[in-house]
Amino acid sequence: MTATAAISVRDLRKAYGPNEVLRGVSFDVAPNEVLCVIGPSGSGKSTMLKCLNLLERPTGGSVVVAGVTLTDPKADVDAARTKIGMVFQHFNLFGHLDVLSNVTLALRHVRKLGRAEAEEIAHAQLARLGLAHLARHRPANLSGGQQQRVAIARSLAMSPEVMLFDEATSALDPELVKDVLAVMRELAGTGMTMVVVTHEMGFAQEVADRVIFMDGGLIAEDGGAREVLGDPSSPRLREFLSQVL
Amino acid sequence: MNDFLHTFFDWSEITGILPSLLTEGLRNTLLIAVLAILFGLAVGVLLAMLLLSRRRLVRLPARIYVDVFRGLPAIVTVSLIGLGLPAAGVRPFGRSPLGYAVIAVGLISAAYCAEIFRSGIQSVPPGQMQAGRSLGMSYLTTMRLVIVPQGVRNVLPALTGQFIVDVKESSLVYLLGLGAGQRELYFIAQEQQAASYNASALVAAGLCYLVITIPLTYLVNWLDRRMREGRPARTAGGAADPGAPPDGAGAGAGGAVGAGVDGKAEGALLTARDGGEGRA
Ligand SMILES: Nc1ncnc2c1ncn2[C@@H]1O[C@H](COP(=O)(O)OP(=O)(O)O)[C@@H](O)[C@H]1O
Ligand SMILES: [Mg+2]
């Protein structure tokens, strides 16, 4: 385990009953590194990502993120999660709140900031993502691309040290994908440590420092973006790439 | 035919009883009903949370409570509490039957509200809990700020139905015997009917109940619509976006806002099989 790693995963296992979904996954993510995770549907990518902030409780192995050993039963998981932003495929914006309140909710009730201070942070974050004019809109009135950018703003408002993306563009209409990818690319440019589960091979090629190929609950390939995507060694990865490209 | 009209719609009977119905009766009926509804809502939310627990030992007492109070006839529950408790020396409300009626109707209401809230909470997509937890909010905070508000919205019509039942069941307090100033709508009408052998007072009381229950439905529908559409954009605090278009018209920087896009996103959200309940 590298002492300086932002994320350190060792022999991570997750089973649902007899169904072993993660069968011993180990990897590190260095600070400022962008790691893309690719792999066929059902290979355990989402489960692995949710184990990184303990939305799913691992059945074995250890997960250390931002200096906190999350798999330690004594860990303050809620506190650790404020350092780990997560963006979901289906946005999961709070439907009963307007955009501004979506972003301020955790600032107010976790960070315990006052309304004015929380709204100042939220407005700044929304402006940064080109969403300032939507502050008073309900999520249902926004396009998918706008909703996903609000979800990113909501995570970033907590000033996380690590950002997790689970197929953030998979639920979007094709013409809206590029807006969200642009935000993610810009975020990577600021030095944010990111783990990105994606089917966007172009994005992985361009932005990822490293790529992991998952297959059947295991890491089948792990290496630099160029070598994994450009010169796949295993037939499984070659087959997968030929299908998504 | 004349007899029929005279028995049910005697004008002097109605105008004679109306003042006490409106001053004393309506007030006490509303007092019992409103307090019982509030009691039922508060206890109902708590019970719903217990019903949703992963621990059997937590679920079980709540389950038994709900089954018992939904299974007993209201008249039995009101008698047991209003007549039984004082007889057993438990007299938190002294001799006033109103307090016992509030508790009895409230306990029944809580059982129904618990089931209504439980189904409402379960109707909220699991991604909402995951999003809340991923931001560092605790299970209970996410429940309170994210899940319950949306769950309640999904079951407002069912809750309205329960409020109406509570208003009607407040009349069962007549079993406990009511003194001057304590009488509610039914008790007053029934006294008058017994004295005059004329049902017009009951008709007048019935109208008073409808005056409460029918507007209640429309009030909740109005609230429901208001909550769904969201409050109109507030101007205070909106200083940062002076050029904000009106709600629902937002074609923003991100480009096209299509009803199709929103519809698809919503459908996907509702059917998302997105893993466990995230109650780590
Ligand atoms: N909550 C759950 N209960 C049972 N099985 C699950 C659950 N979540 C995921 N799985 C199973 O785990 C496997 C991996 O799922 P997932 O991590 O979502 O894969 P991916 O994101 O790579 O498509 C799938 O076979 C899926 O059916
Ligand atoms: Mg997935």
Side-chain angles (χ1 to χ4, degrees):
Chain A
M1 185 185 308
T2 340
T4 54
I7 300 175
S8 190
V9 177
R10 285 294 170 275
D11 195 33
L12 175 62
R13 287 166 190 277
K14 173 71 186 179
Y16 295 104
N19 181 19
E20 211 174 19
V21 172
L22 297 176
R23 303 188 291 146
V25 169
S26 304
F27 62 92
D28 286 343
V29 184
N32 311 326
E33 193 175 27
V34 177
L35 172 71
C36 278
V37 181
I38 61 173
S41 175
S43 58
K45 305 181 298 295
S46 297
T47 305
M48 185 274 285
L49 208 63
K50 283 180 188 156
C51 285
L52 297 185
N53 65 357
L54 242 58
L55 281 186
E56 293 288 356
R57 187 176 283 286
T59 40
S62 71
V63 175
V64 182
V65 182
V68 182
T69 305
L70 290 169
T71 38
D72 179 344
K74 292 192 291 286
D76 185 346
V77 174
D78 285 338
R81 284 190 182 126
T82 65
K83 303 187 205 172
I84 311 170
M86 186 170 224
V87 176
F88 302 86
Q89 183 174 356
H90 298 290
F91 331 130
N92 298 354
L93 292 179
F94 305 133
H96 61 308
L97 299 176
D98 66 16
V99 163
L100 187 66
S101 305
N102 262 274
V103 181
T104 55
L105 193 69
L107 290 171
R108 300 199 58 196
H109 295 277
V110 178
R111 291 258 191 269
K112 308 284 181 200
L113 300 183
R115 178 191 288 276
E117 203 180 341
E119 291 192 348
E120 196 182 318
I121 294 173
H123 278 303
Q125 213 45 261
L126 290 172
R128 185 180 159 199
L129 298 192
L131 300 162
H133 60 296
L134 300 176
R136 290 299 179 190
H137 286 241
R138 289 295 180 108
N141 296 331
L142 307 184
S143 74
Q146 290 169 334
Q147 290 191 53
Q148 193 58 297
R149 284 184 289 146
V150 171
I152 294 173
R154 177 175 70 176
S155 281
L156 290 179
M158 298 296 283
S159 315
E161 294 175 26
V162 170
M163 285 287 288
L164 312 175
F165 293 84
D166 190 3
E167 298 199 33
T169 59
S170 292
L172 299 179
D173 283 359
E175 73 271 20
L176 304 177
V177 167
K178 64 177 191 323
D179 290 331
V180 172
L181 289 183
V183 168
M184 292 167 63
R185 189 178 296 117
E186 193 195 310
L187 191 59
T190 66
M192 176 63 75
T193 308
M194 293 162 56
V195 179
V196 182
V197 173
T198 185
H199 289 299
E200 297 287 335
M201 292 307 145
F203 177 84
Q205 203 120 37
E206 184 194 342
V207 180
D209 300 300
R210 251 174 67 219
V211 172
I212 282 178
F213 172 60
M214 285 188 67
D215 191 25
L218 290 168
I219 294 182
E221 299 226 15
D222 178 352
R226 203 154 306 178
E227 53 180 292
V228 172
L229 296 175
D231 180 23
S233 52
S234 71
R236 274 298 281 145
L237 178 53
R238 264 200 295 277
E239 183 193 334
F240 173 72
L241 289 176
S242 71
Q243 276 165 9
V244 293
L245 284 176
Chain B
M1 193 60 206
N2 226 353
D3 266 3
F4 186 89
L5 278 180
H6 171 73
T7 306
F8 289 99
F9 302 102
D10 185 311
W11 189 243
S12 64
E13 275 286 317
I14 292 178
T15 50
I17 202 68
L18 214 48
S20 29
L21 283 180
L22 290 182
T23 52
E24 185 183 349
L26 203 56
R27 189 196 61 208
N28 285 323
T29 292
L30 279 175
L31 183 74
I32 300 171
V34 168
L35 291 179
I37 286 170
L38 293 177
F39 182 98
L41 287 175
V43 177
V45 169
L46 277 175
L47 284 168
M49 304 277 265
L50 300 183
L51 286 174
L52 287 167
S53 169
R54 282 193 296 188
R55 290 171 214 270
R56 226 180 94 80
L57 269 178
V58 177
R59 280 199 314 268
L60 194 67
R63 189 74 260 158
I64 292 173
Y65 175 98
V66 168
D67 286 347
V68 167
F69 279 95
R70 288 204 312 176
L72 287 174
I75 200 166
V76 172
T77 305
V78 172
S79 307
L80 277 175
I81 288 176
L83 303 173
L85 285 187
V90 184
R91 299 191 186 91
F93 307 104
R95 300 203 162 282
S96 163
L98 298 183
Y100 298 99
V102 166
I103 295 302
V105 176
L107 287 171
I108 301 168
S109 182
Y112 284 95
C113 284
E115 283 292 18
I116 294 170
F117 282 131
R118 184 184 58 81
S119 75
I121 288 170
Q122 283 179 327
S123 73
V124 177
Q128 295 287 302
M129 176 57 83
Q130 294 179 354
R133 300 306 305 274
S134 78
L135 289 164
M137 296 196 284
S138 67
Y139 175 78
L140 283 178
T141 303
T142 311
M143 268 290 173
R144 183 167 59 87
L145 299 173
V146 176
I147 309 297
V148 171
Q150 296 186 79
V152 167
R153 193 160 315 173
N154 293 342
V155 294
L156 270 181
L159 278 179
T160 317
Q162 187 53 44
F163 296 164
I164 288 173
V165 170
D166 294 345
V167 170
K168 295 188 292 186
E169 282 183 353
S170 68
S171 62
L172 291 174
V173 71
Y174 90 96
L175 285 167
L176 311 181
L178 295 169
Q182 299 175 335
R183 302 177 308 164
E184 44 69 68
L185 289 170
Y186 174 70
F187 195 89
I188 293 172
Q190 173 265 154
E191 264 187 344
Q192 176 63 22
Q193 193 273 337
S196 67
Y197 296 105
N198 187 297
S200 299
L202 287 169
V203 170
L207 288 174
C208 289
Y209 281 109
L210 293 180
V211 164
I212 303 174
T213 52
I214 293 178
L216 190 62
T217 310
Y218 290 94
L219 177 74
V220 176
N221 284 347
W222 174 80
L223 261 175
D224 187 29
R225 230 174 304 124
R226 210 179 115 105
M227 288 201 298
R228 267 177 218 293
E229 287 158 11
R231 264 154 253 124
R234 268 178 286 165
T235 39
D241 50 298
D247 247 5
V257 180
V261 174
D262 293 331
K264 238 181 273 169
E266 195 120 82
L269 237 179
L270 290 174
T271 55
R273 178 208 55 74
D274 226 348
E277 63 267 79
R279 244 188 276 172

